[in-house]
Amino acid sequence: NERSGATRRKYEDYYFHPGQNSELGRRGSLEENSEENSTIGAASSSSLSAPGTALFQHWLYDYRNSSAFSRLPLFDPWNEFPSSEIILRSYPDIGSDEGVFDLDLGRWTTNYDKQKQATSESTFGAARSPEKSTERRTGQTKNRNKRSARDYYTLWYTVELPFPETFQQQRQMEQLKELVIEANDSSSNDSSSLASGRPATASQQQARWRRGHLILHGVNYLPKVYFDGRLIVPYSTHEKLHDNHNFIDNVHEEGNLRNNFGGMFLRRHYDLEIAPSDLKDGVREGPSNDAATPSLPLEILVLPPPHVGKPTLSHSSSTSTSASEFELQSNHLRNANNNNITSANNKSQSPSSTPNPKRRQQPQGQGGNHDLAKSGAIMQCTAGWDWVPSHVPDRNTGIWDRVEVEWVWGDVKLDDVYVRVLNVTAATIGDELQDENGHVEFEDKEEEERLPLGDDVVVSAWLDLSVTATYHGSRDHDNNAFPIRGSIEYVIKHHQKSGDKRKEHTTSPSSSSSPPKSLILTNGTIHNITIATSVSIMHLGQIYLPRAKLWWPHTHGSQPLYSVELTFRSLDGKSDDAVDGNNNNPTPAIHESTTQSTFGIRTISSFTHPKTKSFALKVNGHPVFLQGGNWITTDLFLRYSNSPKRYLQELQLLRNVGFNSLRVWGGGIAETTYFYEAADQLGLLIYQEFWMTGDNNGRFAGDYDWPLDHEAYLHNVWDTVKRLRNHPSLAWYGGGNELFPIADADSGNGSGGVSPPSDIEAGIKQVISDIDGTRPYVTSSVMEAGDDESFFDPEKSLGPKDGPYGILDEQLFFDRNPGLKTPVLSDNEIHRGASPSNVKDKDAPGRNIGFQTEVGSVSHPELKSLQRFLSPEAMDSFPDCGETSDRGGSVNEEWSYFKYLPFTESEDIGAVDHICSFLYPPLVNDTSEDGVKSRMKSIEDYTWAAQLAQYFQYKTLFEGYSMKMWEYYSAIYLWKSSSPSPTLRGALYDWYLSTNGGYWGARSGLAGGSPVRLVLNLQDFRLHIVNTLSLTLSPLVNEVGIDEDWGVKWRSYTLDGSLMGSGVVRLKSSTIRGNSVSRLDHPLPWLGNIKTSNMIMGLGIGDELP
C-alpha cells in the first residue's frame, strides 16, 4: 500500500480493509483516491506464504484497530478461537442476502446490482464503489440493505511482485547481450530454432529470459488474477487423454474464462512472462518501480462460492442472520435409528421415515439448508454441523492454501512428477524361507505376494517415471508451436527428513556440489525430448531401483522416503558439469525447468475378507488391521492450513495413541500437502474422501444431482489425485460420506437417484485409473443394511451402517456391533417395524458391520481448556447427575452451544451416569422446585470424573474391537479424533492440543500402537493376546526347553499403589499365530484375594470371583 502512503501496522502482511472493493484502472493500478479509499488490500511479498481467508482478514483488521471495536473482546486471531459474540455480532453471514452468480460475467448479481448497472459499470464482478471509512470499519453501514453480504466477503489481494534477482545483476545482463549476438550469428540454423522454441528473429530479441509462474494451491472459490494490469487466465496442466473425457479441455483460447473452473481443491497455474525486451538496463520502467527494487503489481480477486446456503438456528429449524449469541446453527439430529441404542447422538443417523424423492426437505442442521453442496468442491461443514459450535460466516472464502511464484528459464515448465511403483521384489530373503539350494518355498499364493517384514529388509523395485510439461513459447500464424528439443536429467536419492543431522545437499545433477554418492540411488539422462504442445505428459520410461527399503504403516515397520528430481534443459546450452571436462564459463540453456517430489516404496491392495465380509487392506502383501480415527482438519477457519508444524503436532498425537490410519471425512477438505508429508513421515494410512455427504447430496437431504457443475467438480478431483498420488501414506480414495451408490426402491432410495451422480462416479473412476492406477476406490463410507446387493454391496461401500455415538456400558464393546442390535436393519425395515429375528440371512455382508467407519462417544476437555472458552457462569453451571439431554434441563446454554453430549446412558440400557457413578469425589444434593438434584461438588470434580469416564470408555472401545480383529472386524475408526474448534463432543484432544482422558484410554486400549498387545474381556474376564502382524510368535528355546518367561507377566496393585502380587500365566501353546487373537483359558490370579467391591459389583462379577 506504499502508493497510497498507508501506514504499516502489525500483521502488515495481511493488510486489508473489510467490506470494500475498488475498481481497476486501465492498467490495473488501483484508482488514486484518498488514503482511506485507495486499495482495499495490500501485502508484502512474504504474505504469499499464507494470505488467509476473508473472515481472517476481518479479524486481523479488527485486531489491529481494536479501539474501533471497544465493544468486542480483544482476541488474537492466530492463537485464539473467536467467541460466539465476535462471530455472530460482528460479521454478517455470507448467505444473508439473496443473489445469483453469473458465471459468464464472473460476478454476483443482486437487485442492488441491477439498479446500479444503469448508472455505473464496473470492470468486473463484485467490484463496488468505495464506502466511507467509518462504515467500512464497523461492517454496519447505513446502506447495508443495498450491499450484498457476498460482496462483504469478496476479496482483493494485492502485492508488488519483485523481479528475480537475475535481472538485477549486471553480469546477467552481459550474458544476455552475448546470447543475443550468438543468436544473430546462427539465425539461419534450423536446429537452433528448433532448440530454442522460437524463430531466429525471436531468439535475437529474447535470448535467455525468465518467465514467472504463479501457482495458487488453494482458493475458495473462484480467483481472477491481474498481472501488470492484464487479466490473465490459468493454463491447464491436464492433458486430454481420451475422447470420452469431455470434462477435461485443454483448449486454451485468449480470454476464455470458462477455463477458470471454480472449486476449493483445484490448483491454478498462471503464466507471468517477463522478457529482457520488457526491461531497460535490467529494470522495468514505470511509476511504481525503481532501480533498487524492480517489481510488477499482482492483484488477485477472489469471489465466494456460487451457492452458499444458510446456516440453521440452534433452537429452530428456520434460518436467519440476526441470530442471538447461541442461535447460530441447529443441533437438530435426525431421530436415532431404532436399530441403535437411543442415546444422545453426535453424528447423524438415518431418518426414521422413507426419504422423499429428489429434493429432500430434511430439517436443517447438517450443512445448514444444504444449498452449499450445489457448489461442489467445497468444505460442506462450514455451513454448520452437529459437532461444531459455529458455522463459518464467509464459508472460508479466500486464499486458504499456499501461494507460490516460481521463476523459470525459458518457455518450458515441469510439474507433477509421478513415480509409479510397478513391481517390488525382496532382494534379500531370510534363511528360514530358503531350502538348501537357496530356493524359496511359499505356502500359498497369498504368502508369495507378501514382502518380508523388518526394517533391515532390502528390496528392488521397478518405477515408472512421468512428468507434466507445459509449453509457453511462440506460435506461428497457424497457432502451431515452435518445438523445443532437449533432455531430462533425473536423480533419485534418499530423502532427508527435517532435522536430519546430515548436511542438506542440492539434488540437481548439474549442481556444482552434488549429493554424496551414498545418498544417490540412481541417476541418468533421457535424451531426445521434444515439447511442442500446450500440455504433454512425458512418459520417461521405467527405472530400476536395485536397493531400497519398504515404507510401512508405523505399526508394522519404518517409513523410509525417497526423492526424485527432474531437470529439463534445451539443446542450445550445456550444463555446468558437461563442458569439456571442466566448469569454466558454461553455456546456459535457454529453456530450463526443475521439479521434484518425494515418494515411498510400497504396494497396496484391497480385498473382501472371507470372515468379516468387508473391505480390507493389504500393505506390501500383509493384511493390516486398520485402527484409526476420523479427521476433519486442523481448524474450522483453516488458519493452520499452511502450518507444517501444526499438522505434524496433531498427527504425532494420533500416531502416539496407536492409530495407523485416518479417514479424511467427505464434509471437510482434500487435505494439504503438509498433512500428507506428515503422514508419510509418521506412517499413517490415509483414506481420502471427496466432497460429498449423504446429508446434502440427496440421501438424507439436498439433491442427488448436486453439485450443479459436474465438469468443475471433476476438474477438482483430477487435480487432487495428481497432487496426492506420490504420497505412500495415501491408501485409497472414497466418493464421499454416507452416500447412496445403488438405486433401488426397496432399499429406501425411493427416487431412484444415486450419489454421486452416475457421470461423476464414472469420471472419478476414470481419473483414478488413468493418472494413479495403484489405489482402490470405494464409492461411499456406508450405504444401507440388507440381505443382498440391492441393499448393500461391499465393493461400493465400506459398511452397511455406522455408529452409535453416545456413551455405552463398557461391557457392550465386546459384543458384535456394539450399541446396535444384531443383525442390523435397513431404514425401511425399521420404518416397517421389522425385528432382527425376522432377518432371513443373519450373516449376509449387509447385516453386520465388518468395517466400522464411525463409532463415537463422549468428550470433555481438561479444566484449563474449559476455562478458555466457557464463561465463569457456565463453568459453575455444569449438568446435574443423570442428565440425558444435550440442551434444556440442567444444561447451560453455553454448554449446548459447544455441543455438550451427556455422559448418561439411555434409559433402555440402565440410564447410568458415568460421571456421577464414581464414589469419589462425593456428590452434593441441591433442593429445587423440582425436588432434590444430585450434582458433583464443583467443576473441578466434574471434570476430573469426566476424564476417568472417558478413559474407561475409549480403552474398552478399542479393546473390544481389537479382540474381534479379523473375526468380526477389519477396521475401526473413531468419530472423531481431532477437534477443529472448541467443543464438548467427539475428540481425543481439544483445539488447544490438550489431551483428555479419552486420549489416554485409547492409547491404553491400543497399547500405543504395539503390534502385540493384551486385551481383557470384561464379559468373561479372560485375557486375550492380539497379534496384528503376519508373523508367528515363538518362544526362545534353550538347552532345557522353552524359556520359562514364555507367558504373560502380571502385577497387581491397590488403588493407593501398593503391590499385591505378581506372577506369570504360562502359555500352553508354543506359538501365537499371526493376524490372530489367542484366548488364555486361565482365571485371573490377581482377583483371587480381592473382596467384592462396588466397582467389581458394578461390573456384574462380584458373585463369580474365584
Side-chain angles (χ1 to χ4, degrees):
N1 220 10
E2 289 95 343
R3 282 178 290 176
S4 64
T7 302
R8 295 281 179 173
R9 300 183 178 93
K10 192 176 182 181
Y11 295 107
E12 60 181 353
D13 293 348
Y14 305 90
Y15 194 79
F16 177 77
H17 292 294
Q20 177 195 6
N21 296 295
S22 298
E23 301 193 20
L24 290 179
R26 181 174 58 85
R27 287 187 56 78
S29 59
L30 297 168
E31 290 183 336
E32 296 293 333
N33 299 314
S34 64
E35 176 178 338
E36 67 180 26
N37 286 334
S38 59
T39 67
I40 68 157
S44 66
S45 59
S46 61
S47 71
L48 294 178
S49 62
T53 59
L55 192 59
F56 197 19
Q57 301 286 352
H58 287 284
W59 289 343
L60 291 167
Y61 180 81
D62 296 350
Y63 190 58
R64 287 194 312 271
N65 301 277
S66 57
S67 60
F69 288 80
S70 57
R71 64 183 182 82
L72 295 176
L74 186 66
F75 80 105
D76 181 352
W78 281 109
N79 301 309
E80 296 180 37
F81 205 87
S83 68
S84 56
E85 182 180 3
I86 289 175
I87 294 174
L88 291 171
R89 295 183 180 174
S90 301
Y91 312 104
D93 185 87
I94 197 172
S96 61
D97 297 297
E98 296 298 331
V100 178
F101 185 79
D102 190 317
L103 194 59
D104 294 329
L105 294 177
R107 61 172 292 169
W108 285 101
T109 58
T110 64
N111 292 332
Y112 176 53
D113 289 328
K114 296 176 182 178
Q115 295 171 5
K116 184 181 177 183
Q117 196 169 16
T119 57
S120 174
E121 197 71 34
S122 61
T123 302
F124 52 89
R128 281 281 187 274
S129 298
E131 299 179 25
K132 293 182 179 180
S133 176
T134 56
E135 295 175 339
R136 181 180 65 235
R137 284 185 186 137
T138 63
Q140 307 293 330
T141 68
K142 297 178 181 179
N143 296 320
R144 179 172 171 181
N145 62 324
K146 294 184 179 180
R147 192 184 77 200
S148 170
R150 295 178 177 89
D151 294 338
Y152 190 84
Y153 292 121
T154 299
L155 297 186
W156 277 103
Y157 297 90
T158 70
V159 65
E160 287 290 330
L161 193 64
F163 285 176
E165 188 175 329
T166 309
F167 284 120
Q168 304 173 37
Q169 297 178 358
Q170 183 65 30
R171 178 177 176 273
Q172 291 293 335
M173 291 306 301
E174 292 173 354
Q175 289 183 353
L176 291 173
K177 294 177 182 178
E178 293 173 1
L179 288 172
V180 171
I181 295 174
E182 293 175 5
N184 283 330
D185 294 338
S186 59
S187 60
S188 60
N189 190 322
D190 292 339
S191 62
S192 174
S193 298
L194 185 64
S196 67
R198 295 173 181 261
T201 55
S203 296
Q204 294 168 14
Q205 295 174 0
Q206 303 273 352
R208 192 172 194 239
W209 66 96
R210 289 263 199 179
R211 183 188 295 273
H213 294 266
L214 169 70
I215 304 100
L216 304 179
H217 287 265
V219 178
N220 185 26
Y221 178 80
L222 184 65
K224 290 190 175 181
V225 176
Y226 289 77
F227 183 57
D228 196 21
R230 294 169 290 131
L231 174 64
I232 58 176
V233 295
Y235 62 82
S236 175
T237 61
H238 300 159
E239 184 184 45
K240 191 172 183 179
L241 299 180
H242 302 289
D243 292 337
N244 63 343
H245 280 183
N246 56 5
F247 53 87
I248 299 298
D249 182 10
N250 66 349
V251 176
H252 200 76
E253 299 178 359
E254 187 71 23
N256 182 5
L257 296 182
R258 186 62 184 117
N259 284 333
N260 193 6
F261 289 98
M264 195 171 175
F265 313 112
L266 176 65
R267 293 171 298 173
R268 279 89 171 182
H269 301 253
Y270 299 86
D271 186 352
L272 310 176
E273 180 180 10
I274 298 179
S277 60
D278 298 327
L279 306 173
K280 182 178 181 180
D281 296 330
V283 178
R284 177 186 177 276
E285 296 183 3
S288 63
N289 294 280
D290 56 60
T293 58
S295 61
L296 288 175
L298 173 65
E299 292 132 342
I300 303 173
L301 174 70
V302 179
L303 300 176
H307 308 279
V308 296
K310 293 183 178 181
T312 312
L313 305 186
S314 291
H315 305 298
S316 167
S317 62
S318 63
T319 57
S320 173
T321 55
S322 58
S324 64
E325 182 171 356
F326 302 107
E327 290 184 335
L328 186 56
Q329 70 153 41
S330 173
N331 191 38
H332 179 89
L333 301 176
R334 292 190 291 270
N335 292 330
N337 188 326
N338 291 334
N339 196 36
N340 295 352
I341 299 298
T342 55
S343 60
N345 205 331
N346 74 329
K347 191 69 173 62
S348 59
Q349 290 296 326
S350 302
S352 59
S353 60
T354 305
N356 296 324
K358 282 293 184 181
R359 182 68 169 93
R360 302 289 198 262
Q361 300 300 322
Q362 177 68 32
Q364 296 154 2
Q366 312 293 65
N369 70 347
H370 316 293
D371 283 357
L372 183 60
K374 294 178 181 178
S375 297
I378 199 76
M379 187 177 178
Q380 289 192 10
C381 64
T382 56
W385 222 268
D386 60 12
W387 46 263
V388 63
S390 166
H391 78 302
V392 181
D394 73 334
R395 309 297 186 268
N396 283 331
T397 295
I399 300 176
W400 67 275
D401 202 353
R402 291 178 298 145
V403 177
E404 181 182 357
V405 175
E406 182 180 356
W407 297 96
V408 176
W409 290 111
D411 293 334
V412 174
K413 176 74 163 63
L414 298 185
D415 287 291
D416 294 322
V417 55
Y418 180 37
V419 181
R420 179 174 178 177
V421 179
L422 295 178
N423 185 46
V424 183
T425 56
T428 58
I429 299 178
D431 295 337
E432 68 278 3
L433 296 179
Q434 302 181 25
D435 62 17
E436 58 183 6
N437 297 319
H439 300 299
V440 179
E441 296 292 336
F442 295 101
E443 295 180 5
D444 51 37
K445 184 178 180 181
E446 179 178 326
E447 185 72 23
E448 189 173 0
E449 297 173 355
R450 293 181 184 174
L451 294 165
L453 282 165
D455 293 343
D456 57 343
V457 171
V458 178
V459 299
S460 60
W462 282 97
L463 311 176
D464 184 75
L465 201 60
S466 62
V467 68
T468 301
T470 53
Y471 174 86
H472 306 272
S474 300
R475 297 175 180 272
D476 60 22
H477 294 294
D478 296 325
N479 202 34
N480 296 316
F482 295 102
I484 298 176
R485 289 179 54 199
S487 61
I488 291 180
E489 299 171 345
Y490 66 88
V491 173
I492 297 177
K493 67 167 191 171
H494 292 277
H495 176 67
Q496 300 178 34
K497 298 180 181 179
S498 59
D500 197 318
K501 295 182 179 179
R502 293 176 294 183
K503 182 179 179 181
E504 294 289 342
H505 296 275
T506 304
T507 59
S508 170
S510 65
S511 170
S512 58
S513 58
S514 58
K517 293 187 179 298
S518 60
L519 293 180
I520 296 178
L521 293 178
T522 185
N523 63 338
T525 302
I526 301 169
H527 299 283
N528 300 320
I529 300 293
T530 300
I531 299 174
T533 58
S534 298
V535 184
S536 303
I537 307 299
M538 313 294 294
H539 294 278
L540 305 179
Q542 297 181 8
I543 296 173
Y544 181 65
L545 211 58
R547 296 184 63 81
K549 292 191 175 182
L550 292 170
W551 186 96
W552 294 93
H554 77 94
T555 49
H556 287 63
S558 60
Q559 297 78 47
L561 296 173
Y562 302 94
S563 66
V564 57
E565 182 171 284
L566 303 181
T567 300
F568 173 83
R569 288 186 177 87
S570 55
L571 295 181
D572 43 50
K574 296 181 179 179
S575 60
D576 291 352
D577 55 0
V579 182
D580 299 330
N582 60 67
N583 294 331
N584 296 323
N585 300 320
T587 302
I590 290 180
H591 306 279
E592 183 175 326
S593 178
T594 297
T595 188
Q596 67 86 33
S597 182
T598 59
F599 65 98
I601 304 296
R602 63 107 180 90
T603 65
I604 203 156
S605 60
S606 64
F607 67 105
T608 300
H609 194 274
K611 287 188 177 180
T612 68
K613 301 179 181 179
S614 62
F615 178 97
L617 199 71
K618 287 183 180 180
V619 178
N620 299 323
H622 295 254
V624 175
F625 181 69
L626 300 172
Q627 51 201 39
N630 281 264
W631 171 272
I632 310 299
T633 189
T634 58
D635 177 62
L636 182 64
F637 302 100
L638 298 179
R639 283 170 287 180
Y640 296 104
S641 60
N642 197 36
S643 173
K645 179 181 178 181
R646 174 79 175 204
Y647 276 117
L648 192 61
Q649 287 173 332
E650 292 207 41
L651 267 61
Q652 184 74 59
L653 279 171
L654 296 173
R655 170 185 162 138
N656 289 348
V657 164
F659 288 175
N660 59 17
S661 183
L662 292 174
R663 172 200 178 201
V664 182
W665 178 64
I669 67 173
E671 263 301 352
T672 68
T673 299
Y674 291 134
F675 170 90
Y676 277 94
E677 288 176 349
D680 291 343
Q681 294 177 28
L682 297 174
L684 294 170
L685 294 165
I686 307 301
Y687 158 31
Q688 173 72 64
E689 289 184 339
F690 298 118
W691 321 285
M692 291 188 187
T693 67
D695 303 273
N696 298 304
N697 291 89
R699 181 181 180 186
F700 304 130
D703 196 290
Y704 284 109
D705 292 334
W706 293 354
L708 298 182
D709 191 338
H710 293 192
E711 185 178 5
Y713 188 90
L714 286 168
H715 267 76
N716 282 260
V717 170
W718 183 288
D719 200 63
T720 297
V721 173
K722 249 189 149 177
R723 176 173 63 88
L724 300 180
R725 59 189 176 178
N726 274 337
H727 292 283
S729 59
L730 177 60
W732 78 97
Y733 305 97
N737 171 63
E738 299 174 0
L739 304 179
F740 215 121
I742 296 179
D744 185 278
D746 292 334
S747 65
N749 190 350
S751 70
V754 294
S755 57
S758 57
D759 61 325
I760 289 183
E761 172 79 345
I764 291 175
K765 291 181 177 179
Q766 189 69 58
V767 166
I768 294 173
S769 173
D770 285 346
I771 65 175
D772 185 332
T774 65
R775 292 175 175 88
Y777 167 76
V778 180
T779 307
S780 180
S781 60
V782 298
M783 192 177 73
E784 187 53 278
D787 287 337
D788 51 48
E789 291 186 1
S790 66
F791 291 82
F792 172 76
D793 182 353
E795 294 186 0
K796 290 182 177 291
S797 175
L798 296 174
K801 280 192 182 298
D802 50 19
Y805 303 92
I807 197 163
L808 296 176
D809 184 325
E810 282 81 5
Q811 294 184 68
L812 293 179
F813 288 117
F814 297 88
D815 292 335
R816 191 170 197 176
N817 307 321
L820 305 174
K821 293 182 179 180
T822 302
V824 295
L825 303 176
S826 70
D827 292 338
N828 269 1
E829 287 173 329
I830 295 170
H831 181 66
R832 296 194 302 264
S835 169
S837 61
N838 297 329
V839 170
K840 62 181 181 181
D841 185 359
K842 294 179 175 57
D843 293 324
R847 290 303 186 184
N848 293 283
I849 302 175
F851 192 110
Q852 179 56 279
T853 57
E854 297 178 15
V855 61
S857 190
V858 292
S859 179
H860 188 87
E862 65 173 12
L863 186 64
K864 289 183 179 179
S865 295
L866 283 180
Q867 293 169 338
R868 298 182 72 171
F869 67 87
L870 289 180
S871 68
E873 295 76 14
M875 292 286 287
D876 292 335
S877 302
F878 52 89
D880 293 337
C881 293
E883 182 61 68
T884 59
S885 175
D886 57 1
R887 64 178 61 253
S890 67
V891 182
N892 176 272
E893 197 174 32
E894 282 190 47
W895 288 63
S896 295
Y897 176 81
F898 286 105
K899 306 304 179 185
Y900 162 74
L901 191 66
F903 277 65
T904 304
E905 299 171 14
S906 60
E907 294 184 0
D908 58 343
I909 56 173
V912 175
D913 187 321
H914 284 240
I915 288 180
C916 295
S917 61
F918 289 102
L919 298 183
Y920 181 86
L923 306 179
V924 295
N925 294 328
D926 288 344
T927 302
S928 65
E929 296 179 358
D930 300 328
V932 178
K933 294 183 177 180
S934 295
R935 307 183 80 234
M936 301 296 281
K937 184 176 181 181
S938 65
I939 184 63
E940 290 81 6
D941 290 345
Y942 183 95
T943 300
W944 178 88
Q947 304 312 312
L948 288 178
Q950 292 173 93
Y951 178 90
F952 291 125
Q953 186 78 181
Y954 287 106
K955 173 181 170 66
T956 52
L957 184 155
F958 282 105
E959 287 180 338
Y961 278 91
S962 296
M963 199 188 76
K964 296 299 183 180
M965 173 190 74
W966 302 125
E967 180 181 358
Y968 292 166
Y969 311 113
S970 61
I972 165 64
Y973 286 81
L974 182 69
W975 180 265
K976 49 188 181 36
S977 54
S978 62
S979 185
S981 67
T983 185
L984 292 168
R985 68 169 63 183
L988 298 179
Y989 57 88
D990 58 41
W991 185 80
Y992 311 103
L993 304 189
S994 294
T995 57
N996 57 30
Y999 178 92
W1000 299 100
R1003 191 177 191 276
S1004 177
L1006 293 172
S1010 173
V1012 181
R1013 55 184 179 266
L1014 291 174
V1015 170
L1016 176 65
N1017 186 340
L1018 295 185
Q1019 293 184 347
D1020 63 7
F1021 274 75
R1022 292 295 187 265
L1023 277 176
H1024 295 71
I1025 301 176
V1026 178
N1027 180 10
T1028 64
L1029 298 177
S1030 300
L1031 291 176
T1032 298
L1033 304 180
S1034 302
L1036 295 175
V1037 179
N1038 53 32
E1039 306 83 38
V1040 296
I1042 295 177
D1043 187 346
E1044 61 182 12
D1045 286 336
W1046 176 246
V1048 177
K1049 296 181 180 180
W1050 64 270
R1051 289 175 179 163
S1052 62
Y1053 299 85
T1054 62
L1055 290 181
D1056 63 5
S1058 301
L1059 180 65
M1060 295 176 59
S1062 62
V1064 176
V1065 176
R1066 306 294 177 187
L1067 300 186
K1068 296 180 180 179
S1069 173
S1070 60
T1071 60
I1072 299 175
R1073 293 182 297 108
N1075 292 315
S1076 69
V1077 178
S1078 301
R1079 183 177 185 269
L1080 301 184
D1081 292 321
H1082 297 275
L1084 299 185
W1086 55 87
L1087 291 178
N1089 297 321
I1090 301 177
K1091 294 181 179 180
T1092 301
S1093 67
N1094 288 316
M1095 185 180 75
I1096 295 297
M1097 290 181 67
L1099 293 173
I1101 61 169
D1103 297 331
E1104 302 176 13
L1105 292 176

